[in-house]
Amino acid sequence: MTKEDRRKLDAARTRELVAEARRLRVVIAAAEAELARTHADAYELAQEQMSRLRDASTREREMPLRSMAAELAVDARVSDRTLQTQLFEAHRTVTQFGPSWEAWREGRVSRAHVRVVVDAGADLSDDEVRAAYEAEVLAYAETTSAGRVRPFAEQVADKHNPKSMQERHDEAVLDRRVWVEDLRDGMSMLGVIGPSVEVHGVHDRLTRQGKAIKAADRAVRREAAERDAAGEPEERESDSVWFDERTLDQIRTDVLLDMMLTSSPSVDPT
């Protein structure tokens, strides 16, 4: 067999594998979309059950949804809270973004594409506005990756959103929060959602302080190197120079924690 024959065989086999992968992606997408519709139906049933309990307490009215999520969660081997979120997202997708769900079921887009379309258009409450947004974004989503769709979808959503940027910001700022997530090996992650100007300002201040510390360390290193070059006697052990080996990320973290643990807010009279 010549090299050219081998190249043609390899190319043909590659085309077969690509075609099989495409077929399987379509099958998987259809199954995932149908599961989402099943979850949407389950959410709808729970809502109907909740509507029959108008005179009950809030806790009692929430029981149908909790019970539905618990039943499905056991079978799916996930947490109840995760399943509740999946039920809500599925219902919103199927009822408010029908064309995207259809494209998903037909394998023209993936679950990741649909998630981007739904997330970016979630604030569009008017049906006609949402439909115009979805049609424009979905056409683009069928031609590229989900990662590239996100910035495009956000731009299109901004264009179609009847609310001004200030109105949307005023609503979004109400969701500001701080949370802690425990990690392994005695570490935890501190997260914050707040106004972009303030969050970026905090990060910029930490960066500038970190760079100032790094600059001071470089100055100390230069002075030590110059003394060594001049043959000056080494300092006593108690006066030995300490070099800062921390990275900029480590310094930013240390500065933030130090300020938060040792400082007081301006409104604190103590």
Side-chain angles (χ1 to χ4, degrees):
M1 182 181 295
T2 65
K3 289 184 178 180
E4 181 62 19
D5 291 337
R6 171 54 62 187
R7 186 191 66 78
K8 290 180 179 180
L9 286 175
D10 289 345
R13 179 55 178 158
T14 299
R15 288 193 296 271
E16 291 175 358
L17 293 172
V18 170
E20 180 65 6
R22 182 185 303 115
R23 184 189 69 80
L24 291 173
R25 282 197 302 271
V26 171
V27 172
I28 292 171
E32 290 176 336
E34 290 298 341
L35 177 59
R37 183 166 64 177
T38 300
H39 283 173
D41 291 343
Y43 184 87
E44 187 70 30
L45 176 58
Q47 292 297 307
E48 292 176 4
Q49 294 171 336
M50 292 167 65
S51 67
R52 304 186 202 123
L53 302 173
R54 273 191 290 262
D55 298 330
S57 65
T58 301
R59 184 177 179 83
E60 288 176 323
R61 287 198 303 273
E62 292 175 349
M63 285 307 298
L65 181 58
R66 290 184 177 182
S67 177
M68 180 68 73
E71 291 283 352
L72 292 168
V74 170
D75 184 65
R77 294 183 293 279
V78 298
S79 70
D80 294 9
R81 186 174 296 275
T82 296
L83 217 301
Q84 282 192 45
T85 300
Q86 291 178 0
L87 293 179
F88 172 77
E89 292 295 340
H91 186 263
R92 181 168 64 175
T93 299
V94 172
T95 58
Q96 298 183 16
F97 296 88
S100 294
W101 180 84
E102 288 287 351
W104 180 16
R105 185 173 65 88
E106 295 170 2
R108 291 184 282 124
V109 297
S110 68
R111 175 170 55 182
H113 288 91
V114 175
R115 185 179 297 114
V116 169
V117 175
V118 174
D119 288 347
D123 292 335
L124 302 177
S125 57
D126 184 86
D127 291 343
E128 292 185 3
V129 170
R130 186 169 59 245
Y133 152 82
E134 183 179 17
E136 186 173 350
V137 176
L138 189 57
Y140 180 65
E142 293 183 20
T143 67
T144 188
S145 66
R148 291 183 176 179
V149 172
R150 182 171 296 281
F152 178 79
E154 292 172 349
Q155 292 176 4
V156 176
D158 287 341
K159 180 180 69 175
H160 287 282
N161 199 322
K163 296 180 180 179
S164 67
M165 178 64 73
Q166 185 61 52
E167 290 174 327
R168 282 178 277 160
H169 175 75
D170 291 342
E171 293 178 359
V173 78
L174 298 177
D175 293 328
R176 61 191 184 278
R177 63 189 179 95
V178 175
W179 72 94
V180 173
E181 179 181 341
D182 290 330
L183 306 176
R184 298 176 59 184
D185 303 322
M187 302 293 286
S188 296
M189 178 177 68
L190 178 68
V192 57
I193 294 177
S196 295
V197 172
E198 296 178 17
V199 172
H200 281 282
V202 169
H203 187 268
D204 178 67
R205 184 182 182 191
L206 292 171
T207 299
R208 286 187 284 110
Q209 291 178 335
K211 289 182 177 179
I213 293 173
K214 296 290 283 185
D217 180 65
R218 286 195 297 271
V220 172
R221 291 173 185 265
R222 282 196 301 270
E223 292 174 1
E226 290 171 357
R227 285 196 302 270
D228 290 343
E232 296 180 7
E234 295 183 1
E235 299 181 1
R236 298 190 306 273
E237 182 67 26
S238 59
D239 297 328
S240 60
V241 178
W242 176 79
F243 295 141
D244 195 335
E245 303 293 346
R246 295 176 296 174
T247 65
L248 182 58
D249 275 336
Q250 291 170 340
I251 294 175
R252 274 193 292 236
T253 303
D254 294 343
V255 170
L256 173 64
L257 296 178
D258 182 53
M259 288 193 297
M260 293 305 302
L261 292 172
T262 62
S263 302
S264 298
S266 58
V267 296
D268 188 346
T270 62

